[in-house]
Amino acid sequence: MQYVKDSIFYNDAIQELSYPFGNFYLFDGFVIGEIKEDMVITWDDHAKRLVEDLANLYDQNGENLVYITNRIHSYAVKPSDWLKFYKSDYKMKGYAIVSYTRRGLLNALIEKLFIKNNFKSFESLEDAVYWAKSLHSKEQDKASLY
C-alpha cells in the first residue's frame, strides 16, 4: 500500500486539493484521489464538487484527464451515481483503480460495469500512473499530427 505523498510521483504534483472526504493530487494529464476511510461517495455530496473544481483548474471538461483512485482506505461509491456523472457535461479519458486487497479487486470488477471509459485496475500505484501517462502521451502524439 502506497500513499501518493510517499511515492516518487509526489514531487511532480502540480497541486493538492484536500476535502473532508479525501485528498486529490493533480498532475499533467491525470489526477490521483485518496478517499478517506469508511466514506460513501455520492455524486451530489462529493463527486460533483470535485469534478467542478477539476474542470475549473484544468480548464476543460475532463475529456483529456485520467482519474486514478488509490484505494489505501476502505470506502464505497454509490454505483448508480455513475449515471449522474455521465448525464453531466463532464467526461474522463480513463479511470483506474489501485487496490491492495483481493476484495478491492473484486469490487473494481463490479464498478467496471458502470464505467464507459478506458478502465483498468492495478495492484500498484506505479503501474496505474504509467498507464495514465501512456494515455496522455498518445493524445499528445495525435495532437502533434494536426
Side-chain angles (χ1 to χ4, degrees):
M1 188 172 336
Q2 184 175 37
Y3 290 86
V4 172
K5 284 189 174 184
D6 297 332
S7 76
I8 60 172
F9 307 109
Y10 182 67
N11 289 333
D12 295 331
I14 299 166
Q15 189 169 350
E16 181 178 342
L17 302 175
S18 293
Y19 297 92
F21 56 90
N23 298 314
F24 300 84
Y25 305 88
L26 285 57
F27 297 86
D28 184 23
F30 65 98
V31 175
I32 301 174
E34 294 179 341
I35 304 295
K36 294 186 178 176
E37 186 77 30
D38 295 329
M39 292 297 303
V40 177
I41 301 299
T42 67
W43 174 255
D44 295 323
D45 294 334
H46 310 97
K48 184 177 181 184
R49 177 179 173 198
L50 174 63
V51 168
E52 288 172 348
D53 288 349
L54 293 174
N56 289 328
L57 289 168
Y58 280 101
D59 196 26
Q60 61 164 297
N61 67 354
E63 64 190 355
N64 293 317
L65 286 177
V66 175
Y67 179 74
I68 300 170
T69 181
N70 188 28
R71 293 202 170 157
I72 52 175
H73 300 293
S74 177
Y75 68 91
V77 176
K78 186 176 175 187
S80 61
D81 276 10
W82 277 106
L83 299 173
K84 291 181 180 181
F85 173 82
Y86 290 118
K87 287 180 181 179
S88 74
D89 291 331
Y90 304 108
K91 302 184 180 346
M92 263 190 303
K93 176 184 224 131
Y95 181 74
I97 295 176
V98 180
S99 185
Y100 302 95
T101 65
R102 183 164 172 71
R103 182 176 183 217
L105 292 171
L106 292 172
N107 286 339
L109 291 173
I110 294 168
E111 200 166 337
K112 182 179 181 178
L113 298 172
F114 296 91
I115 310 290
K116 295 180 182 179
N117 321 62
N118 284 319
F119 171 86
K120 204 143 167 121
S121 60
F122 297 92
E123 294 181 43
S124 78
L125 182 59
E126 291 84 8
D127 290 343
V129 168
Y130 294 133
W131 176 74
K133 286 181 175 183
S134 75
L135 288 179
H136 186 64
S137 67
K138 285 178 189 176
E139 189 65 33
Q140 287 178 327
D141 291 345
K142 283 183 193 175
S144 67
L145 294 174
Y146 299 103

